[in-house]
Amino acid sequence: RGLRKTTVSADTMQAKTETRVPSGGTGSFRAKKRGMDRDTCRELLKQTNFGKAELEALFLQFNRQSGGTGEMDQAEFTESMQRIGLQDPVFIDHCFVAADTSKTGTVNFKELAKSLSVMLHGEGNDLADFHFKLWCSDESVGMTKEDFSSFYIHVRNLDPDAVGHNSDYETLILKQSDKAFDVIDSDHDGIITLQEFETAFNDPDLLLSNELFERLRDPLRTNGQLSSFQPDERALLSLLGGRVVMSTGSIVPVQASSIDGRLYDVFYLVVGGTVECSFDGGDDTGDVEVIEAGPNAWIHEETVFRKTRAEINFRVARAATHCSLLRLATGDFMQAYREGSPGAISIMQSIKDKMFSTTEAQEAKTASAAFAGWKKAQLHGTGKVLVQSSINQSLVKMQYAVRGLVPLTAERIQQEINAGGKKPFDEVLYCNIGNPHSVGQKPITFYREVLALVDCPTLLDRENIGTVFNPDVLARAKELVGCIKGGTGAYSHSQGIQAIRNHVAEFIESRDGYPCNPSDLFLTNGASTGIQMMLSTIIASTEDAVLVPIPQYPIYSALIKLLNGQQVGYQMDESKGWGLDMGELTSKVEQARKDGLKPKALVIINPGNPVGNCLSYDNLVDLIKLCRREGLVLLADEVYQENVYTDRAFFSVKKVVRDLGHDYDGFEVVSFHSTSKGIIGECGRRGGYMELCGFDVQVQKEIYKLASSGLCSNLDGQVMVDLMVKGPKEGDASYPLFKQERDAIFDSLKSKSQMLHRTLNDIAGISCQQLQGAMYAFPNIVLPPRAVAAAAAEKHAPDTFYALSLLEHTGICAVPGSGFGQKEGTYHIRLTFLPSAEKLEAALERFRTHHEMFINRYK
């Protein structure tokens, strides 16, 4: 198959040039038709692996490169490929022939998108088939040794570092190619079949080079340079930006030239090396700004504000070292911004933040004062008082892994599937958060019927209402309506409705065998607001420390950071079923004091999130004694107390404290419970409570004041708490169905916990402790050193790297263990077992297949 070379006539170039008109103010060019039509977008979402943001960015680049004609000739295609980072001209020529499916000598947008989709995002056999067709001179015969050598050499040449090697290097590559061919050609007939090529393509050992294996899957050689950006930002930068390499001392231009010689404004992101920016003639010390590669390393970013070229003199940017830059056409970027592209909007905010951060220092310098004044006028003209750099920096630093990078990526993937995008799975399976109803758990009938009547009490007066609802449902609804002055739309007492607190106290007394004072109870919006109230009360200075289990639920680390406190992590012992190690706890308290901190409280999560353990009675006794000895308030997170699946019983901390006798009457403990977990799973109701025991009267008044500042918890949540602690009794009309529904939910959770535990431990390289309680597994995953190195190159934690791969290949959304904390050198993910048994079982088979593929890839 010969390569067709296309020439561009003067008439053709003139016709293309006439379609380009200067855009208002930035010097780039706007074609007559810029937006991608909706039908094309829908079609390509189904037929490619691109998301909407990537397609929009690619369309902008295509439209500008083709001059708005809707077609690219070979010269334009070549420039376009070079802009996004492809280096080897022969490789690009082959791509052009493959993309030109209509055999017209030009490539339209759909052909370009489909071709790039496979080359940049293809996996496994799809990518192998693409390269087989790309390099075979005759597909019906197969791949000859000459074809394979061409493939082998030119894929290697995608690496810019490989360009310019001497003849000895080229001879070595040819020898490697011949050796690889002989290994892959299993029947030694001088031809590689498609099946043989597919087998080799998925095994780095057969291709005799891990580097080549990686380059086939990352032809742009991004090496994680954009990994710190969000998916929408990454899509925009990858396809709208073009890679530029600058040698030391080179000036980085503020304008670039299009294929027809017209100039347009550009700005850059430094992705490798260092650039120095200064004003020519500046004589003040410190006029030079050194910009090193990173997520905010923008150069000439001021072009996004410039209206005319004469408006302001730009700084001169010089490469201080050999540099790799990502160049973006300002006009294309601004169009994406004006059209509301999420990636462009967040990148624009990053640019503004950088400009804000340097303005003050530049104002103090003679050479840069005018420039700083101009920047200030542009930025203040946006009218934004709050930007990331001016808000509470504790909020900026706060992390919440359960809704972090992996879940955000999962949401984007699900949106693409909903829009018709093609993935190797039908839906994302959200195993990242304990949200039972969102993955199919049905609400319990008794709870919903009572809630409906309490929310709409006029239903109780309707004729024949007794034929719709059971008598005990009606009686319970009337009882609650009589307790709620003004109905569920009115405020209640700040600690919650008195009658409901009385029922909670009865529940606690029945559970523990000890009295409970309703005045010590606060009804809260889930357990979360109770935790926030207590940490807000405890943390009085930056030296105040809270001991938190590692692994932990990230609400604790997030709130401690937000409140400017100090987190001291104590390790749970994985080798002992995630039990407590008192020696570890004691040493952590002592070390914190040596470090000048004031340990004031200790958190325990029982049953455990994320580890799924249930602490023994003796462990709790030892813990309480340690807290009393060290003067620590004990915060007991007990929201999973109904989720215990083994013979080990749950014991509340309060019960164990009271069992220890009157010496512990004044011991300070707070316990939290919620309607979001257990068998109920009513997360959206935001119902919960906390009980204070042993607290100083004045301190409890201050906590009441804090609760009063929020007026009260929501009324539906309070009603849900009442139903949680006081369900129908045996003999009531609703009891048989109530028991049937609760037993079915519990039995299902128990069965799925056993299935998850069994399957995970059956996979080589994965171990999981017994799932005694809660809703999660926290398996330990042994990752090969090459996987850890690949994660570092992508600037991800190793378990985040694994979780992202798991999501992309299987649709399973898990949370990396690093978001919960883990022992150094170990890697975990957290998985819920809330989805239906059928979906979970199918997902676990995909999990097994992915894990084997992942390990083989990086072994």
Side-chain angles (χ1 to χ4, degrees):
R1 181 173 73 176
L3 293 176
R4 297 186 305 280
K5 296 291 183 181
T6 306
T7 58
V8 185
S9 69
D11 290 342
T12 302
M13 180 60 75
Q14 178 66 24
K16 286 178 176 289
T17 303
E18 286 172 355
T19 65
R20 300 174 180 177
V21 295
S23 68
T26 63
S28 60
F29 304 100
R30 184 173 300 165
K32 289 179 180 177
K33 182 181 179 182
R34 296 295 299 236
M36 178 173 47
D37 67 83
R38 195 172 297 174
D39 290 340
T40 298
C41 184
R42 284 202 198 98
E43 179 184 343
L44 291 176
L45 282 172
K46 292 178 181 178
Q47 296 178 356
T48 72
N49 291 319
F50 286 131
K52 186 178 179 185
E54 291 170 308
L55 286 172
E56 289 171 345
L58 180 62
F59 186 80
L60 279 172
Q61 188 240 50
F62 171 85
N63 219 16
R64 188 173 64 77
Q65 206 72 34
S66 67
T69 63
E71 293 181 337
M72 277 184 178
D73 59 34
Q74 189 160 357
E76 291 167 333
F77 181 88
T78 298
E79 184 185 1
S80 179
M81 294 302 98
Q82 289 171 342
R83 284 185 77 255
I84 66 172
L86 291 180
Q87 302 294 315
D88 185 68
V90 176
F91 188 96
I92 295 172
D93 285 345
H94 278 258
C95 287
F96 180 79
V97 174
D100 180 19
T101 55
S102 57
K103 308 304 179 188
T104 60
T106 59
V107 171
N108 62 36
F109 177 64
K110 290 182 181 179
E111 290 173 327
L112 176 69
K114 291 174 185 177
S115 180
L116 283 181
S117 168
V118 181
M119 185 172 66
L120 301 181
H121 291 308
E123 287 289 343
N125 289 346
D126 287 342
L127 192 56
D129 293 352
F130 173 81
H131 279 278
F132 190 79
K133 293 175 182 176
L134 205 65
W135 299 99
C136 270
S137 53
D138 187 343
E139 291 177 45
S140 63
V141 174
M143 186 175 278
T144 65
K145 180 171 280 193
E146 183 181 353
D147 294 336
F148 184 80
S149 295
S150 185
F151 154 75
Y152 201 87
I153 292 166
H154 292 292
V155 170
R156 275 190 170 278
N157 284 345
L158 290 176
D159 186 355
D161 296 332
V163 177
H165 279 297
N166 59 32
S167 58
D168 290 341
Y169 176 80
E170 292 172 359
T171 302
L172 174 64
I173 298 305
L174 280 172
K175 287 181 178 178
Q176 288 181 350
S177 172
D178 289 345
K179 185 177 179 182
F181 183 88
D182 292 339
V183 172
I184 297 167
D185 180 19
S186 56
D187 52 8
H188 306 295
D189 61 355
I191 294 291
I192 293 177
T193 65
L194 176 59
Q195 184 176 0
E196 289 171 332
F197 190 71
E198 287 175 345
T199 301
F201 205 87
N202 293 296
D203 189 338
D205 291 335
L206 291 178
L207 288 175
L208 305 180
S209 168
N210 285 320
E211 290 182 9
L212 183 67
F213 183 85
E214 298 297 340
R215 195 165 300 130
L216 286 164
R217 286 153 178 79
D218 185 13
L220 303 187
R221 304 298 289 154
T222 55
N223 286 333
Q225 292 165 338
L226 303 180
S227 59
S228 59
F229 290 88
Q230 292 298 318
D232 285 331
E233 299 170 335
R234 221 164 34 237
L236 195 79
L237 292 172
S238 297
L239 294 170
L240 201 59
R243 184 178 176 183
V244 179
V245 177
M246 292 281 179
S247 58
T248 304
S250 300
I251 292 179
V252 183
V254 74
Q255 290 186 319
S257 175
S258 67
I259 196 170
D260 59 0
R262 303 289 293 274
L263 297 175
Y264 56 94
D265 280 0
V266 293
F267 65 103
Y268 304 82
L269 176 71
V270 183
V271 293
T274 304
V275 174
E276 293 180 345
C277 294
S278 64
F279 287 93
D280 279 353
D283 54 5
D284 286 341
T285 303
D287 272 347
V288 177
E289 181 186 1
V290 178
I291 300 175
E292 296 181 342
N296 293 309
W298 302 106
I299 300 173
H300 298 325
E301 69 276 12
E302 297 86 4
T303 58
V304 302
F305 290 110
R306 186 168 68 161
K307 304 296 188 299
T308 66
R309 292 198 180 101
E311 187 174 1
I312 189 70
N313 289 325
F314 279 79
R315 295 179 297 173
V316 176
R318 290 185 178 86
T321 64
H322 185 77
C323 290
S324 178
L325 310 175
L326 200 66
R327 184 177 67 194
L328 293 95
T330 306
D332 290 347
F333 172 79
M334 289 306 294
Q335 179 171 335
Y337 176 71
R338 286 190 292 268
E339 290 178 355
S341 164
I345 290 171
S346 53
I347 288 171
M348 177 66 91
Q349 188 59 57
S350 171
I351 288 171
K352 290 177 181 177
D353 289 345
K354 192 223 172 185
M355 291 173 70
F356 263 118
S357 68
T358 56
T359 298
E360 185 175 346
Q362 289 170 348
E363 281 183 305
K365 305 296 181 184
T366 303
S368 57
F371 177 68
W374 176 84
K375 283 204 307 180
K376 200 170 183 179
Q378 305 307 312
L379 294 168
H380 288 175
T382 65
K384 301 297 183 187
V385 175
L386 296 180
V387 295
Q388 190 180 48
S389 59
S390 68
I391 63 173
N392 184 342
Q393 291 304 293
S394 294
L395 174 59
V396 175
K397 295 172 185 175
M398 187 180 89
Q399 299 292 324
Y400 191 62
V402 175
R403 296 184 183 270
L405 175 62
V406 178
L408 287 173
T409 305
E411 289 175 9
R412 173 182 60 82
I413 290 173
Q414 186 60 56
Q415 288 170 1
E416 292 171 9
I417 293 173
N418 294 343
K422 184 176 64 174
K423 296 291 177 185
F425 42 86
D426 296 329
E427 64 175 346
V428 172
L429 193 67
Y430 289 98
C431 295
N432 61 302
I433 193 167
N435 192 9
H437 291 189
S438 72
V439 289
Q441 181 175 308
K442 300 300 182 186
I444 291 173
T445 304
F446 177 80
Y447 296 153
R448 288 298 181 92
E449 289 184 342
V450 175
L451 277 166
L453 292 169
V454 174
D455 265 340
C456 188
T458 55
L459 293 174
L460 292 166
D461 300 325
R462 290 196 177 180
E463 189 176 355
N464 298 324
I465 191 68
T467 63
V468 180
F469 295 101
N470 285 326
D472 58 326
V473 171
L474 296 172
R476 187 61 178 282
K478 289 176 182 177
E479 177 190 10
L480 283 165
V481 168
C483 300
I484 305 172
K485 186 178 180 181
T488 55
Y491 291 133
S492 74
H493 187 279
S494 293
Q495 283 184 245
I497 296 165
Q498 181 66 52
I500 295 177
R501 284 187 284 136
N502 291 342
H503 290 159
V504 174
E506 292 166 4
F507 162 78
I508 293 172
E509 289 175 13
S510 173
R511 181 195 66 190
D512 297 337
Y514 293 101
C516 172
N517 185 347
S519 299
D520 294 334
L521 294 168
F522 289 74
L523 302 186
T524 56
N525 290 319
S528 303
T529 55
I531 294 166
Q532 185 166 15
M533 286 169 62
M534 291 313 304
L535 290 175
S536 298
T537 302
I538 291 166
I539 297 172
S541 76
T542 55
E543 289 79 35
D544 288 345
V546 179
L547 281 88
V548 175
I550 301 297
Q552 53 103 21
Y553 182 59
I555 190 173
Y556 294 99
S557 55
L559 288 174
I560 292 167
K561 175 66 70 176
L562 182 64
L563 296 167
N564 285 313
Q566 302 297 322
Q567 175 186 319
V568 175
Y570 63 89
Q571 293 286 344
M572 307 289 284
D573 191 341
E574 185 171 9
S575 67
K576 296 180 180 177
W578 298 110
L580 290 174
D581 182 337
M582 293 305 137
E584 160 82 0
L585 272 168
T586 302
S587 67
K588 289 293 184 180
V589 174
E590 292 173 350
Q591 186 59 50
R593 289 182 176 136
K594 288 178 183 177
D595 292 339
L597 302 181
K598 302 173 185 174
K600 294 177 73 174
L602 183 146
V603 174
I604 189 68
I605 307 173
N606 185 44
N609 176 12
V611 296
N613 66 330
C614 186
L615 293 174
S616 69
Y617 186 91
D618 290 341
N619 241 181
L620 291 172
V621 169
D622 292 341
L623 177 69
I624 292 163
K625 289 180 176 179
L626 180 143
C627 287
R628 185 186 183 218
R629 182 175 67 249
E630 299 293 345
L632 300 172
V633 176
L634 182 52
L635 305 178
D637 186 333
E638 298 175 336
V639 300
Y640 297 99
Q641 58 188 261
E642 288 190 90
N643 301 104
V644 179
Y645 313 115
T646 65
D647 293 336
R648 176 170 287 181
F650 164 79
F651 296 99
S652 74
V653 166
K654 179 186 175 180
K655 171 180 172 50
V656 180
V657 169
R658 294 293 176 254
D659 285 351
L660 288 172
H662 293 299
D663 287 347
Y664 285 80
D665 285 350
F667 176 70
E668 294 155 285
V669 60
V670 188
S671 58
F672 306 96
H673 197 11
S674 169
T675 65
S676 301
K677 311 303 177 185
I679 311 302
I680 301 172
E682 295 271 6
C683 301
R685 299 291 169 187
R686 309 309 299 131
Y689 72 78
M690 67 177 181
E691 181 187 14
L692 309 184
C693 296
F695 272 70
D696 178 86
V697 173
Q698 293 303 317
V699 171
Q700 192 153 329
K701 286 182 179 179
E702 298 300 329
I703 296 171
Y704 174 74
K705 181 170 66 179
L706 182 58
S708 298
S709 69
L711 299 175
C712 68
S713 61
N714 81 89
L715 271 292
D716 275 355
Q718 293 190 39
V719 172
M720 196 70 239
V721 169
D722 190 81
L723 296 170
M724 174 180 74
V725 300
K726 187 181 177 184
K729 297 185 176 112
E730 192 168 0
D732 290 343
S734 299
Y735 182 77
L737 178 60
F738 175 79
K739 185 176 187 305
Q740 176 188 332
E741 290 174 336
R742 281 181 58 88
D743 288 350
I745 292 171
F746 180 84
D747 291 344
S748 173
L749 289 171
K750 181 177 180 179
S751 172
K752 289 183 291 185
S753 74
Q754 293 168 345
M755 175 175 65
L756 182 58
H757 175 256
R758 182 174 59 251
T759 303
L760 289 173
N761 281 303
D762 193 41
I763 300 173
I766 295 181
S767 60
C768 182
Q769 298 299 312
Q770 185 181 23
L771 305 182
Q772 297 170 328
M775 299 173 171
Y776 317 98
F778 199 65
N780 186 314
I781 301 174
V782 178
L783 297 180
R786 284 190 64 244
V788 176
E794 294 282 345
K795 298 183 181 176
H796 288 312
D799 47 13
T800 300
F801 184 68
Y802 182 90
L804 286 170
S805 176
L806 179 68
L807 173 63
E808 292 287 350
H809 289 86
T810 70
I812 300 171
C813 180
V815 187
S818 50
F820 302 92
Q822 56 196 346
K823 189 175 182 179
E824 187 174 354
T826 66
Y827 309 109
H828 301 77
I829 57 173
R830 188 189 79 166
L831 293 162
T832 71
F833 45 85
L834 290 171
S836 69
E838 294 77 15
K839 288 184 177 181
L840 189 63
E841 186 173 12
L844 286 173
E845 283 307 306
R846 299 199 301 273
F847 185 106
R848 183 195 301 273
T849 301
H850 165 266
H851 184 76
E852 291 170 354
M853 178 274 294
F854 186 91
I855 296 301
N856 286 335
R857 180 174 180 179
Y858 293 106
K859 66 184 178 183

